[in-house]
Structure formats: C-alpha cells, structure tokens
Amino acid sequence: HSLTKLTKRELDYCKYDCLVIYNLLLKMKDEYKKMSKIPLTSTGRVRKRFKDTIKNDINYKTKVREAYNKNPEVYNMLLKALQGGYTHANSLYTEKIIKSVTSWDINSSYPYVMTTCKVPTTKFLDCNIKDPYHLNEKFAYLIDVTFYDVVSKYKNNIISAHKCTEIDGYISGNKKKHPLIDNGRVVKAGKVRMTLTDVDYNLIIKAYDIKKIEINKAKYANYDYLPIQFV
C-alpha cells in the first residue's frame, strides 16, 4: 500500500517500467511525427497499415459492402447471440485447493482463427431449418430457439441463464422446481429460449440432453474466408 517501504530492486522496477515506455514513445514519435498520431495499442499499428492498404481497393470494399448488415432485426439478434468467455469455477472443485495443476495457452489464437476459419460473408436472410439436429455446414446461422427439458451431460455447463429470453423450471415427481443454476449457468430446466449462432447452437445440442427443439426464427448467411487483402 501507499506506506509500504519499497526496496531498491522494487524502485528500479518502477523506474525502468517508465523508461521503457518513454523510449518507445521517442521511437514512435520519429515514426508518426506527432504524439497524437501514435496508436494506443499494438493492433492499432496493424490497423493503420491495413487502412492504408485498402483505402483505394474497390474489390475489397465491394466484398465488405455485400456482407454488411443494416437490418435492425439482424443487429438485435447478433446482440442477443453474443456469448462471453467460459471463466468460472467447476462446481466440483469450488473452494478446494487443487495441487499439481498445469495449464497452457494458445499462442496467436485470434489471427489463427481469422486466417483459417470461415465467417459470415453475406447478409443474413430468413430461412427454415428442416432438421434442428443437423445444420448445413455451408451456412452461418442466427437461431431463435426454444429447448425443452434440458439436462447438462457434463459438470461444465455452458448455457448462460442471463442470455435466456425465457427460462422455466422443471418437473420432478409431482412438483415443479426452479431451474437448476450453477454460478449463472443452466444445469437443468424445463424450458429455455435463446438466440444463438450456429457455433453455440451445435455446442449446446452436444452438451445437453434435450427432449424437444423448437426453432422460432432462423436466418442464414454464406460462410467463406475473409478477403485475402485482410489476411
């Protein structure tokens, strides 16, 4: 805290932490001429290079325009379908000390996905899904869906309760019970309604036992790789 006496080693750390930034700014000033033009992040530098590359590229701009969604309904479905990261504790191990734990991280995951995976590249249009258990892999989907009698198969439960537009309890014996929630995630429920991308939709039907699936509304777009200029 503010009254803690720091060692020379700790003070040197603070000093060099500032000197590194100071010298980087001097270098950046030579490159960008004005302090106000220096990007705030590393990706800002790449973004500027990219903008300079495609500012007169009609082919790229046409591709982006074809994929750009102006439909407010699609926009609202995309907002509802947005999922956060899976970060909370497994309920089996909450408040327990686990020894001999190892972990690893994926290096450069974002650029890997952007350059090797297909994304929606056209406007989202209405469609009918004939078989809710087998989506066409050629298309990206936005799906307003209701699942009935859902039970998680695993101890990591992936449906977020706060992302459900409807959620109802389940019947046990002759009694109706509240939905079973693990730290904000649905373990068991009589009914949940959500808006999902095809990615999350496919994960849920693999991770849960579901008695019935009802598609309320669906939209599709073509899957393709990002433009080569971007890659």
Side-chain angles (χ1 to χ4, degrees):
H1 56 75
S2 60
L3 299 179
T4 302
K5 187 172 177 61
L6 299 179
T7 65
K8 184 179 183 303
R9 181 182 174 85
E10 289 167 334
L11 286 168
D12 282 346
Y13 181 92
C14 298
K15 171 184 171 182
Y16 284 103
D17 208 32
C18 295
L19 284 172
V20 165
I21 298 298
Y22 171 72
N23 283 280
L24 177 64
L25 286 173
L26 290 179
K27 182 181 178 183
M28 290 286 192
K29 189 180 176 184
D30 289 339
E31 183 177 345
Y32 291 97
K33 308 308 176 189
K34 290 183 178 180
M35 295 292 281
S36 60
K37 298 291 184 183
I38 297 174
L40 297 178
T41 63
S42 296
T43 51
R45 303 188 72 194
V46 181
R47 197 175 296 115
K48 184 182 183 305
R49 282 179 56 198
F50 178 63
K51 284 180 178 179
D52 292 342
T53 301
I54 55 90
K55 63 183 177 183
N56 297 318
D57 192 326
I58 302 301
N59 176 264
Y60 174 83
K61 291 182 176 180
T62 301
K63 284 183 178 179
V64 171
R65 198 177 297 115
E66 289 172 353
Y68 187 67
N69 283 282
K70 294 182 180 178
N71 186 335
E73 183 185 19
V74 172
Y75 178 75
N76 286 326
M77 289 184 75
L78 287 166
L79 285 181
K80 290 178 181 177
L82 180 66
Q83 300 282 337
Y86 191 89
T87 57
H88 71 274
N90 184 317
S91 60
L92 291 176
Y93 304 109
T94 303
E95 297 185 349
K96 293 182 180 179
I97 295 175
I98 311 299
K99 297 182 179 179
S100 301
V101 173
T102 60
S103 66
W104 68 93
D105 196 6
I106 302 171
N107 290 331
S108 305
S109 186
Y110 284 120
Y112 170 77
V113 169
M114 288 190 290
T115 54
T116 63
C117 295
K118 292 183 177 181
V119 299
T121 53
T122 59
K123 290 179 173 64
F124 278 93
L125 302 174
D126 291 334
C127 69
N128 292 316
I129 295 175
K130 294 180 180 179
D131 184 353
Y133 289 94
H134 297 92
L135 301 181
N136 191 326
E137 294 181 357
K138 293 180 181 179
F139 303 119
Y141 290 93
L142 284 171
I143 307 168
D144 178 345
V145 60
T146 305
F147 298 117
Y148 293 91
D149 294 325
V150 300
V151 182
S152 179
K153 297 178 183 179
Y154 309 105
K155 293 298 179 183
N156 290 317
N157 314 297
I158 61 175
I159 295 179
S160 288
H162 86 282
K163 297 299 292 186
C164 299
T165 51
E166 292 180 37
I167 184 166
D168 200 5
Y170 61 95
I171 303 297
S172 180
N174 294 322
K175 292 183 178 180
K176 187 172 182 178
K177 296 190 174 183
H178 292 294
L180 185 57
I181 308 294
D182 163 30
N183 199 7
R185 303 278 178 159
V186 177
V187 180
K188 188 175 183 180
K191 179 174 80 169
V192 293
R193 182 173 180 176
M194 311 177 70
T195 300
L196 299 165
T197 65
D198 51 293
V199 176
D200 291 316
Y201 179 90
N202 285 326
L203 282 172
I204 287 171
I205 63 174
K206 288 176 182 176
Y208 285 80
D209 286 319
I210 302 168
K211 191 172 184 179
K212 179 185 172 185
I213 299 176
E214 186 178 281
I215 306 294
N216 306 303
K217 181 168 54 181
K219 294 182 181 291
Y220 81 101
N222 291 335
Y223 259 140
D224 204 349
Y225 293 109
L226 288 166
I228 194 66
Q229 298 95 322
F230 179 87
V231 174

